[in-house]
Amino acid sequence: MRFISNSVAPMMVAIPAGLFAYEYFRKEGDIRKPGVVCISLVATVGITLGLKYTVNRARPFVTYPDIYQHDFHVGPKSFPSGHTSSAFALATSMSLCYPKWYVIVPSYLWAITVGYSRMHLGVHYPTDVIIGALIGTACAWGGWELNRYLLRER
């Protein structure tokens, strides 16, 4: 579970970079697709951090000392789950940009597993994970719609 949880940060860099390279070198590539992914990630991180410092909810292992924290170093604020929101932003934006089952299914399986891992490790409540998933999904969808709107205006 720790490996899954730790996979979010590298994926936030590797996926947009890989998509940019893929679209750049493809014959009929569209380098705006990685832009949608980047926009959704930036919005997700901004909203998530804003909520963390606004809500200021303590981690489950702080509130309930019986919860074993798996010696996992995290910040003091719990709500919402930044890992989950970022994972769902990646999964949703990938699914919108590349609507194929072999992109959608693994993306969402990974995002769901990230959310579960955060609860399993004792660093998030279920509501943290659910709201994080909704934030990531909404930011990806919003970035996708903004991109469509801007392209339609030209």
Side-chain angles (χ1 to χ4, degrees):
M1 288 297 143
R2 182 178 286 180
F3 173 78
I4 293 293
S5 215
N6 287 337
S7 71
V8 175
M11 293 294 235
M12 287 175 62
V13 174
I15 288 177
L19 289 177
F20 179 77
Y22 170 73
E23 292 295 341
Y24 183 78
F25 291 112
R26 204 169 64 131
K27 186 174 182 176
E28 295 177 14
D30 183 3
I31 59 171
R32 293 175 294 204
K33 288 181 180 180
V36 170
V37 176
C38 291
I39 288 170
S40 69
L41 286 173
V42 168
T44 298
V45 169
I47 290 170
T48 300
L49 286 176
L51 281 172
K52 275 187 185 287
Y53 287 95
T54 301
V55 175
N56 201 21
R57 183 185 205 180
R59 300 268 182 188
F61 63 86
V62 172
T63 306
Y64 303 101
D66 297 344
I67 294 176
Y68 180 63
Q69 191 233 345
H70 295 280
D71 193 31
F72 199 63
H73 301 288
V74 293
K77 298 171 186 348
S78 177
F79 182 85
S81 170
H83 284 75
T84 305
S85 63
S86 297
F88 272 87
L90 278 170
T92 303
S93 57
M94 288 286 295
S95 299
L96 290 169
C97 291
Y98 305 96
K100 304 286 186 193
W101 73 268
Y102 50 83
V103 173
I104 297 168
V105 172
S107 296
Y108 278 107
L109 284 175
W110 172 72
I112 290 166
T113 306
V114 166
Y116 175 77
S117 75
R118 301 306 287 170
M119 292 183 294
H120 179 81
L121 292 168
V123 295
H124 282 293
Y125 295 100
T127 52
D128 299 344
V129 169
I130 292 168
I131 299 301
L134 292 173
I135 289 169
T137 302
C139 287
W141 183 79
W144 174 259
E145 289 298 323
L146 176 65
N147 190 42
R148 285 182 37 186
Y149 173 76
L150 293 174
L151 293 176
R152 189 174 34 236
E153 290 296 313
R154 291 183 177 184

PDB file of all heavy atoms in Angstrom, residues 96-110:
ATOM      1  N   LEU A  96     -10.639  11.213 -20.438  1.00  0.00           N
ATOM      2  CA  LEU A  96     -11.283  12.165 -21.352  1.00  0.00           C
ATOM      3  C   LEU A  96     -10.446  12.387 -22.608  1.00  0.00           C
ATOM      4  O   LEU A  96     -10.982  12.491 -23.713  1.00  0.00           O
ATOM      5  CB  LEU A  96     -11.520  13.501 -20.640  1.00  0.00           C
ATOM      6  CG  LEU A  96     -12.590  13.492 -19.557  1.00  0.00           C
ATOM      7  CD1 LEU A  96     -12.542  14.777 -18.748  1.00  0.00           C
ATOM      8  CD2 LEU A  96     -13.974  13.299 -20.172  1.00  0.00           C
ATOM      9  N   CYS A  97      -9.135  12.456 -22.445  1.00  0.00           N
ATOM     10  CA  CYS A  97      -8.249  12.690 -23.589  1.00  0.00           C
ATOM     11  C   CYS A  97      -8.089  11.453 -24.467  1.00  0.00           C
ATOM     12  O   CYS A  97      -7.941  11.569 -25.684  1.00  0.00           O
ATOM     13  CB  CYS A  97      -6.876  13.147 -23.114  1.00  0.00           C
ATOM     14  SG  CYS A  97      -6.855  14.792 -22.395  1.00  0.00           S
ATOM     15  N   TYR A  98      -8.096  10.286 -23.861  1.00  0.00           N
ATOM     16  CA  TYR A  98      -7.885   9.025 -24.580  1.00  0.00           C
ATOM     17  C   TYR A  98      -8.988   8.041 -24.177  1.00  0.00           C
ATOM     18  O   TYR A  98      -8.761   7.160 -23.355  1.00  0.00           O
ATOM     19  CB  TYR A  98      -6.502   8.453 -24.266  1.00  0.00           C
ATOM     20  CG  TYR A  98      -5.394   9.432 -24.557  1.00  0.00           C
ATOM     21  CD1 TYR A  98      -4.853  10.227 -23.552  1.00  0.00           C
ATOM     22  CD2 TYR A  98      -4.909   9.581 -25.852  1.00  0.00           C
ATOM     23  CE1 TYR A  98      -3.851  11.132 -23.828  1.00  0.00           C
ATOM     24  CE2 TYR A  98      -3.910  10.488 -26.132  1.00  0.00           C
ATOM     25  CZ  TYR A  98      -3.389  11.264 -25.119  1.00  0.00           C
ATOM     26  OH  TYR A  98      -2.396  12.176 -25.397  1.00  0.00           O
ATOM     27  N   PRO A  99     -10.195   8.215 -24.730  1.00  0.00           N
ATOM     28  CA  PRO A  99     -11.344   7.408 -24.285  1.00  0.00           C
ATOM     29  C   PRO A  99     -11.340   5.976 -24.831  1.00  0.00           C
ATOM     30  O   PRO A  99     -12.206   5.577 -25.602  1.00  0.00           O
ATOM     31  CB  PRO A  99     -12.542   8.200 -24.806  1.00  0.00           C
ATOM     32  CG  PRO A  99     -12.025   8.931 -25.997  1.00  0.00           C
ATOM     33  CD  PRO A  99     -10.576   9.215 -25.712  1.00  0.00           C
ATOM     34  N   LYS A 100     -10.379   5.210 -24.419  1.00  0.00           N
ATOM     35  CA  LYS A 100     -10.273   3.792 -24.776  1.00  0.00           C
ATOM     36  C   LYS A 100     -10.315   2.996 -23.479  1.00  0.00           C
ATOM     37  O   LYS A 100      -9.778   3.426 -22.452  1.00  0.00           O
ATOM     38  CB  LYS A 100      -8.954   3.492 -25.511  1.00  0.00           C
ATOM     39  CG  LYS A 100      -8.737   4.324 -26.746  1.00  0.00           C
ATOM     40  CD  LYS A 100      -9.628   3.859 -27.858  1.00  0.00           C
ATOM     41  CE  LYS A 100      -9.271   4.628 -29.129  1.00  0.00           C
ATOM     42  NZ  LYS A 100     -10.238   4.487 -30.153  1.00  0.00           N
ATOM     43  N   TRP A 101     -10.889   1.803 -23.525  1.00  0.00           N
ATOM     44  CA  TRP A 101     -11.032   0.998 -22.317  1.00  0.00           C
ATOM     45  C   TRP A 101      -9.677   0.676 -21.692  1.00  0.00           C
ATOM     46  O   TRP A 101      -9.544   0.627 -20.481  1.00  0.00           O
ATOM     47  CB  TRP A 101     -11.825  -0.279 -22.590  1.00  0.00           C
ATOM     48  CG  TRP A 101     -11.048  -1.302 -23.384  1.00  0.00           C
ATOM     49  CD1 TRP A 101     -11.016  -1.454 -24.734  1.00  0.00           C
ATOM     50  CD2 TRP A 101     -10.159  -2.281 -22.845  1.00  0.00           C
ATOM     51  NE1 TRP A 101     -10.168  -2.463 -25.079  1.00  0.00           N
ATOM     52  CE2 TRP A 101      -9.626  -3.000 -23.932  1.00  0.00           C
ATOM     53  CE3 TRP A 101      -9.759  -2.629 -21.563  1.00  0.00           C
ATOM     54  CZ2 TRP A 101      -8.715  -4.033 -23.772  1.00  0.00           C
ATOM     55  CZ3 TRP A 101      -8.856  -3.661 -21.404  1.00  0.00           C
ATOM     56  CH2 TRP A 101      -8.350  -4.359 -22.507  1.00  0.00           C
ATOM     57  N   TYR A 102      -8.649   0.502 -22.522  1.00  0.00           N
ATOM     58  CA  TYR A 102      -7.340   0.144 -21.992  1.00  0.00           C
ATOM     59  C   TYR A 102      -6.616   1.334 -21.369  1.00  0.00           C
ATOM     60  O   TYR A 102      -5.534   1.177 -20.798  1.00  0.00           O
ATOM     61  CB  TYR A 102      -6.466  -0.532 -23.057  1.00  0.00           C
ATOM     62  CG  TYR A 102      -6.374   0.205 -24.370  1.00  0.00           C
ATOM     63  CD1 TYR A 102      -5.481   1.245 -24.554  1.00  0.00           C
ATOM     64  CD2 TYR A 102      -7.191  -0.154 -25.437  1.00  0.00           C
ATOM     65  CE1 TYR A 102      -5.392   1.919 -25.760  1.00  0.00           C
ATOM     66  CE2 TYR A 102      -7.111   0.506 -26.658  1.00  0.00           C
ATOM     67  CZ  TYR A 102      -6.211   1.537 -26.802  1.00  0.00           C
ATOM     68  OH  TYR A 102      -6.130   2.194 -27.998  1.00  0.00           O
ATOM     69  N   VAL A 103      -7.182   2.509 -21.458  1.00  0.00           N
ATOM     70  CA  VAL A 103      -6.692   3.671 -20.722  1.00  0.00           C
ATOM     71  C   VAL A 103      -7.568   3.899 -19.491  1.00  0.00           C
ATOM     72  O   VAL A 103      -7.063   4.098 -18.377  1.00  0.00           O
ATOM     73  CB  VAL A 103      -6.685   4.936 -21.614  1.00  0.00           C
ATOM     74  CG1 VAL A 103      -6.345   6.177 -20.812  1.00  0.00           C
ATOM     75  CG2 VAL A 103      -5.727   4.770 -22.783  1.00  0.00           C
ATOM     76  N   ILE A 104      -8.866   3.832 -19.685  1.00  0.00           N
ATOM     77  CA  ILE A 104      -9.827   4.139 -18.623  1.00  0.00           C
ATOM     78  C   ILE A 104      -9.739   3.147 -17.465  1.00  0.00           C
ATOM     79  O   ILE A 104      -9.616   3.540 -16.302  1.00  0.00           O
ATOM     80  CB  ILE A 104     -11.260   4.188 -19.188  1.00  0.00           C
ATOM     81  CG1 ILE A 104     -11.369   5.331 -20.208  1.00  0.00           C
ATOM     82  CG2 ILE A 104     -12.285   4.349 -18.078  1.00  0.00           C
ATOM     83  CD1 ILE A 104     -12.637   5.312 -21.042  1.00  0.00           C
ATOM     84  N   VAL A 105      -9.808   1.861 -17.765  1.00  0.00           N
ATOM     85  CA  VAL A 105      -9.847   0.837 -16.703  1.00  0.00           C
ATOM     86  C   VAL A 105      -8.594   0.867 -15.824  1.00  0.00           C
ATOM     87  O   VAL A 105      -8.704   0.982 -14.597  1.00  0.00           O
ATOM     88  CB  VAL A 105     -10.117  -0.563 -17.297  1.00  0.00           C
ATOM     89  CG1 VAL A 105      -9.957  -1.646 -16.249  1.00  0.00           C
ATOM     90  CG2 VAL A 105     -11.510  -0.622 -17.915  1.00  0.00           C
ATOM     91  N   PRO A 106      -7.380   0.805 -16.393  1.00  0.00           N
ATOM     92  CA  PRO A 106      -6.204   0.849 -15.505  1.00  0.00           C
ATOM     93  C   PRO A 106      -6.077   2.173 -14.750  1.00  0.00           C
ATOM     94  O   PRO A 106      -5.642   2.186 -13.595  1.00  0.00           O
ATOM     95  CB  PRO A 106      -5.015   0.657 -16.445  1.00  0.00           C
ATOM     96  CG  PRO A 106      -5.562   0.134 -17.705  1.00  0.00           C
ATOM     97  CD  PRO A 106      -6.988   0.555 -17.781  1.00  0.00           C
ATOM     98  N   SER A 107      -6.462   3.277 -15.392  1.00  0.00           N
ATOM     99  CA  SER A 107      -6.360   4.586 -14.735  1.00  0.00           C
ATOM    100  C   SER A 107      -7.222   4.639 -13.485  1.00  0.00           C
ATOM    101  O   SER A 107      -6.772   5.054 -12.414  1.00  0.00           O
ATOM    102  CB  SER A 107      -6.784   5.702 -15.687  1.00  0.00           C
ATOM    103  OG  SER A 107      -5.933   5.787 -16.788  1.00  0.00           O
ATOM    104  N   TYR A 108      -8.478   4.221 -13.623  1.00  0.00           N
ATOM    105  CA  TYR A 108      -9.372   4.268 -12.470  1.00  0.00           C
ATOM    106  C   TYR A 108      -9.063   3.190 -11.439  1.00  0.00           C
ATOM    107  O   TYR A 108      -9.245   3.417 -10.240  1.00  0.00           O
ATOM    108  CB  TYR A 108     -10.839   4.225 -12.903  1.00  0.00           C
ATOM    109  CG  TYR A 108     -11.327   5.585 -13.326  1.00  0.00           C
ATOM    110  CD1 TYR A 108     -11.545   5.872 -14.658  1.00  0.00           C
ATOM    111  CD2 TYR A 108     -11.524   6.593 -12.404  1.00  0.00           C
ATOM    112  CE1 TYR A 108     -11.977   7.125 -15.056  1.00  0.00           C
ATOM    113  CE2 TYR A 108     -11.946   7.854 -12.779  1.00  0.00           C
ATOM    114  CZ  TYR A 108     -12.174   8.120 -14.112  1.00  0.00           C
ATOM    115  OH  TYR A 108     -12.580   9.365 -14.493  1.00  0.00           O
ATOM    116  N   LEU A 109      -8.596   2.034 -11.865  1.00  0.00           N
ATOM    117  CA  LEU A 109      -8.183   1.016 -10.892  1.00  0.00           C
ATOM    118  C   LEU A 109      -7.034   1.542 -10.035  1.00  0.00           C
ATOM    119  O   LEU A 109      -7.006   1.349  -8.813  1.00  0.00           O
ATOM    120  CB  LEU A 109      -7.788  -0.282 -11.587  1.00  0.00           C
ATOM    121  CG  LEU A 109      -8.926  -1.143 -12.104  1.00  0.00           C
ATOM    122  CD1 LEU A 109      -8.380  -2.344 -12.872  1.00  0.00           C
ATOM    123  CD2 LEU A 109      -9.816  -1.603 -10.963  1.00  0.00           C
ATOM    124  N   TRP A 110      -6.084   2.209 -10.680  1.00  0.00           N
ATOM    125  CA  TRP A 110      -4.965   2.795  -9.942  1.00  0.00           C
ATOM    126  C   TRP A 110      -5.464   3.880  -8.984  1.00  0.00           C
ATOM    127  O   TRP A 110      -5.065   3.908  -7.809  1.00  0.00           O
ATOM    128  CB  TRP A 110      -3.936   3.356 -10.922  1.00  0.00           C
ATOM    129  CG  TRP A 110      -2.846   4.139 -10.259  1.00  0.00           C
ATOM    130  CD1 TRP A 110      -1.824   3.650  -9.496  1.00  0.00           C
ATOM    131  CD2 TRP A 110      -2.690   5.560 -10.277  1.00  0.00           C
ATOM    132  NE1 TRP A 110      -1.039   4.685  -9.049  1.00  0.00           N
ATOM    133  CE2 TRP A 110      -1.545   5.861  -9.519  1.00  0.00           C
ATOM    134  CE3 TRP A 110      -3.401   6.596 -10.877  1.00  0.00           C
ATOM    135  CZ2 TRP A 110      -1.097   7.159  -9.327  1.00  0.00           C
ATOM    136  CZ3 TRP A 110      -2.957   7.894 -10.697  1.00  0.00           C
ATOM    137  CH2 TRP A 110      -1.816   8.162  -9.934  1.00  0.00           C
TER     138      TRP A 110
END
